[in-house]
Amino acid sequence: MSVVSAIGNTYFVLQASHLNQKVWFVKFPLPILLFAYNQARSKFGGLKRSVAAISIGLAASMVLASLCCVVAALVEARRLAVVKSSGLIDLPDETIPMTMFWLVPQFVLLGCADGIFSRAIGSLYMVALISDEEAENLEASKVLQCQYAGFYDMAVYGVGVMGSVLSVHVVGEISAEGGKINWFQHTLNTSRLDNYYWTLAALVAINLLIFFVLTVCCGACFYVVSRFKDAKLPAAPAVDEPLLQ
């Protein structure tokens, strides 16, 4: 999830910077796409703090992230088609005759996925990693939990950003095997980001499947353990003398 999130501030913004920013005679600034992302992230970040809500939130964020990559791949394929038809393959600094508002859906989907995922990760820390006894003994438990949850969230995203750099290198090396052209070139017009987006969509889908299997298995284990703890053991029979032997 964090690997997908990292492409929002890198490839998405780089794509938008070379698209047409005008609608009729009005030129819109590039940060309007980031505004759409931030609005979607804030609107979909109100996940309740419960184990069931966290599981649903993580699954929903993966579905949205995979859908975001699919939309991004389709839009990038169209952008490359416009670049080829306009003869701009070797002119990376020229404005492509395609409005940047084609990128709005992928920015919004990424914002929704990030908002749900961020809230779920923070809530996972607060619900699962902090026991009830610690929460009862600490007077400022809520403040402390919120602070640590934020650091936990940033740590997860930091690992994802580093993983994004590694994924670009690994995918690029694999795509260049057999004498083929590497998907990542010096310019966007000669790169194949659409193939990279399809790869991320497939990886997120596989991750969702693994998450679903683990959720079912762990849910069954938690159910068995809870039933075992709730079961009342029969009282031991009374004995007249201790069994010293």
Side-chain angles (χ1 to χ4, degrees), residues 113 151 155 219:
F151 289 126

Side-chain angles (χ1 to χ4, degrees), residues 47-153:
L47 188 67
K48 295 182 179 180
R49 294 168 184 169
S50 65
V51 177
I54 293 172
S55 300
I56 296 174
L58 290 175
S61 63
M62 293 181 197
V63 172
L64 290 172
S66 182
L67 182 60
C68 171
C69 293
V70 170
V71 172
L74 295 175
V75 173
E76 175 62 11
R78 187 184 189 281
R79 190 191 70 85
L80 291 176
V82 174
V83 168
K84 184 177 180 179
S85 62
S86 302
L88 301 176
I89 296 180
D90 297 326
L91 300 173
D93 296 330
E94 294 293 328
T95 300
I96 301 172
M98 174 179 171
T99 177
M100 70 174 184
F101 289 99
W102 275 92
L103 302 180
V104 171
Q106 64 195 61
F107 271 96
V108 172
L109 288 172
L110 184 62
C112 297
D114 281 354
I116 298 175
F117 180 72
S118 176
R119 181 67 173 181
I121 286 296
S123 300
L124 177 64
Y125 174 83
M126 298 176 68
V127 173
L129 302 184
I130 296 181
S131 63
D132 295 335
E133 295 180 358
E134 293 176 345
E136 292 177 357
N137 295 332
L138 294 176
E139 295 180 358
S141 60
K142 293 184 178 180
V143 177
L144 293 175
Q145 288 176 22
C146 291
Q147 291 177 349
Y148 286 121
F151 289 126
Y152 188 72
D153 180 23

Side-chain angles (χ1 to χ4, degrees), residues 193-212:
L193 289 183
D194 54 335
N195 293 336
Y196 179 58
Y197 293 154
W198 283 117
T199 303
L200 288 181
L203 291 177
V204 174
I206 295 173
N207 193 31
L208 176 61
L209 179 61
I210 296 174
F211 174 78
F212 177 76

Side-chain angles (χ1 to χ4, degrees), residues 9-43:
N9 291 324
T10 53
Y11 289 127
F12 284 6
V13 175
L14 188 59
Q15 288 174 281
S17 63
H18 292 86
L19 296 178
N20 184 17
Q21 301 180 15
K22 290 184 178 180
V23 177
W24 296 98
F25 299 101
V26 180
K27 184 177 181 179
F28 291 88
L30 187 62
I32 194 172
L33 297 176
L34 298 178
F35 175 78
Y37 164 83
N38 290 326
Q39 288 296 313
R41 180 187 173 98
S42 62
K43 294 293 184 182

